[in-house]
Amino acid sequence: MVASLQWGRPVASGHEAVQIGPMRLAGNFERASPSAGVVVFAHGSGSSRLSPRNRYVAEVLHGHGLGTLLFDLLTDAESIDRRLVFDIPLLAERLEQALDWLGSRQESGRPRVGLFGASTGAAAALCAAAERPAEVAAVVSRGGRPDLAGAALGHVEAPTLLIVGALDAEVLELNREAARRMHCKTQLEIVPGATHLFEEPGALDAVANLAGAWFAHHLAAAEGP
């Protein structure tokens, strides 16, 4: 499958695609200044790069001066196979390949990268972070399933923020247990009155602001002297 990659406001419009092995996957890349970090989004099962919640968070991150890459982790044909939708190792590998593609787009070398994962995408993000400790500077999970990352949790080095709705009881407990298994800097933020999709008034604003502050701080710290 080939689809266009739409560039955002900071650069001229163009049409490309995220190269993942022999495939090209549809995506939306908004690049900030060359010195800014980039946050790569990993959507959850049943979602895509067009997720309105992730797109809203991306807009807030742009306000922090960060670039963003939202892309489809699977082709249209693959996305109808429920086994692939929940294949965390496959999704993590796609994220890693997206990091390689992103690095190839930068004239000054690989950018400082953060990963933002939602639902099952959070597990894929954590697995990718565990495999690429030198490249991933921070991770944020929104209503995620970090437990699905399995043994990779203990190998994540990037500072990780887990955001969960207070009323999402089962996922909240899974995140608490995952945090106990992680050895990196880990912070659990509970959004009052929010359910799994953060559809309540102000809930997604809280997610976006928490993520923006986390990435702005840790991607800047990753720049070094």
Side-chain angles (χ1 to χ4, degrees), residues 43-61:
H43 58 75
S45 58
S47 189
S48 72
R49 74 190 189 285
L50 301 178
S51 161
R53 284 171 287 277
N54 282 354
R55 288 165 67 91
Y56 176 75
V57 173
E59 285 294 328
V60 173
L61 297 185

Side-chain angles (χ1 to χ4, degrees), residues 46-225:
S47 189
S48 72
R49 74 190 189 285
L50 301 178
S51 161
R53 284 171 287 277
N54 282 354
R55 288 165 67 91
Y56 176 75
V57 173
E59 285 294 328
V60 173
L61 297 185
H62 299 159
H64 285 269
L66 296 166
T68 56
L69 171 62
L70 294 87
F71 77 104
D72 290 339
L73 296 172
L74 300 171
T75 66
D76 288 343
E78 289 174 330
S79 65
I80 63 176
D81 186 336
R82 299 301 290 175
R83 295 171 301 174
L84 297 181
V85 168
F86 290 94
D87 188 336
I88 302 303
L90 171 64
L91 302 181
E93 182 180 3
R94 297 280 169 91
L95 275 178
E96 292 180 56
Q97 291 173 310
L99 296 181
D100 293 336
W101 176 87
L102 191 60
S104 73
R105 300 297 306 165
Q106 308 295 312
E107 295 179 359
S108 58
R110 290 180 180 270
R112 302 186 310 284
V113 173
L115 299 180
F116 182 96
S119 188
T120 52
L126 289 165
C127 287
E131 288 293 325
R132 301 288 186 99
E135 297 175 51
V136 179
V139 178
V140 173
S141 163
R142 169 180 67 81
R145 290 291 308 276
D147 55 297
L148 296 178
L153 285 175
H155 298 285
V156 176
E157 298 181 13
T160 299
L161 175 64
L162 307 172
I163 308 174
V164 187
L167 303 182
D168 194 7
E170 182 178 354
V171 171
L172 178 54
E173 185 53 40
L174 291 171
N175 275 258
R176 283 176 171 149
E177 175 58 28
R180 288 191 285 267
R181 295 171 56 192
M182 299 179 73
H183 306 299
C184 60
K185 176 181 179 180
T186 307
Q187 184 171 320
L188 174 63
E189 287 285 351
I190 303 172
V191 179
T195 52
H196 185 61
L197 295 180
F198 299 91
E199 296 175 306
E200 297 72 23
L204 195 58
D205 291 319
V207 170
N209 290 327
L210 287 166
W214 190 263
F215 284 128
H217 174 72
H218 290 289
L219 294 189
E223 184 176 8

